[in-house]
Structure formats: structure tokens, C-alpha cells
């Protein structure tokens, strides 16, 4: 834990615990929100033809691709709600720049 605190620039175990809570809530929320959003836009698991064998996998792929942007947005929102906005904003910028999406913040 000491190395993780040093790497993230976190000073206390309490702050580290808050960061872990934010990560867990964000992941759960992103997964929870994706399914109703797909239903809202009219994409259901059974939207594909029964003859299309890969329909379930296509639906799952759409869901996973949708979880990613929800996760990014929720991470910053929950970070702000828990008083860790600066940490999560910097974390977000670093993560997206490593994925080649750093141009969003320039």
C-alpha cells in the first residue's frame, strides 16, 4: 500500500480507501447504467434475428463499448462527490492520453 500511495501521491490511508470506494462504485454504476441505456435506444439482446448466431455477442460488444464512456464520466463525477476531484481528473487525463485520446484535453 505504501508504494501505491507514493505512486498516486496520496498522503493517508483514508484517502486511499476513498479512492478505492470511488473506483468500485464507478464500475458498478457504469455496468448498471449501460443496460437501461441500450434499452432506451432500442437495442435489446433479442433485437437481432434468431438466424444470426452472433447476435448475443454483438449485443455484449455494444454494451461493453457503452460502459467505457459511462465509466469515464462517472469516475470524475464520483471523484468530485467524494472530494477527490483533482486526483481523478489527473487520473482520467493520464489514462486517456495513454489510450491515444489525450487530444480531448488540449
Amino acid at each position: 500500500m505504501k508504494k501505491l500511495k507514493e505512486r498516486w501521491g496520496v498522503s493517508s490511508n483514508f484517502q486511499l480507501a476513498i479512492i478505492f470506494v470511488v473506483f468500485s462504485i464507478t464500475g458498478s454504476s457504469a455496468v448498471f447504467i449501460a443496460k437501461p441505456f441500450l434499452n432506451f435506444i432500442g437495442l435489446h439482446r433479442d433485437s437481432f434475428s434468431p438466424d444470426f448466431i452472433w447476435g448475443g455477442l454483438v449485443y455484449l460488444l455494444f454494451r461493453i463499448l457503452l460502459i467505457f464512456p459511462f465509466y469515464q464520466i462517472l469516475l470524475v463525477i464520483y471523484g468530485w462527490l467524494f472530494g477527490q476531484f483533482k486526483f481523478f481528473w489527473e487520473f482520467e487525463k493520464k489514462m486517456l492520453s495513454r489510450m491515444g485520446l489525450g487530444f480531448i484535453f488540449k
Side-chain angles (χ1 to χ4, degrees), residues 35 38-39 42-50 52 54-61 63:
K35 187 174 183 179
L38 285 172
N39 290 336
L43 187 62
H44 308 279
R45 186 176 290 267
D46 54 347
S47 296
F48 300 95
S49 167
F52 185 53
W54 301 102
L57 289 176
V58 171
Y59 173 82
L60 188 60
L61 178 66
R63 189 165 176 195

Side-chain angles (χ1 to χ4, degrees), residues 6-88:
E6 288 174 11
R7 181 176 180 193
W8 283 352
V10 175
S11 57
S12 70
N13 288 336
F14 180 71
Q15 187 179 9
L16 191 62
I18 290 174
I19 290 169
F20 288 150
V21 167
V22 169
F23 277 126
S24 64
I25 291 173
T26 303
S28 301
S29 298
V31 169
F32 183 75
I33 290 173
K35 187 174 183 179
F37 187 80
L38 285 172
N39 290 336
F40 175 73
I41 62 173
L43 187 62
H44 308 279
R45 186 176 290 267
D46 54 347
S47 296
F48 300 95
S49 167
D51 298 332
F52 185 53
I53 299 171
W54 301 102
L57 289 176
V58 171
Y59 173 82
L60 188 60
L61 178 66
F62 277 120
R63 189 165 176 195
I64 290 170
L65 290 174
L66 191 62
I67 288 171
F68 179 73
F70 283 143
Y71 184 85
Q72 305 310 314
I73 294 166
L74 289 173
L75 189 63
V76 175
I77 291 171
Y78 285 137
W80 175 74
L81 288 173
F82 281 84
Q84 298 297 318
F85 177 79
K86 184 178 179 185
F87 172 82
F88 284 104

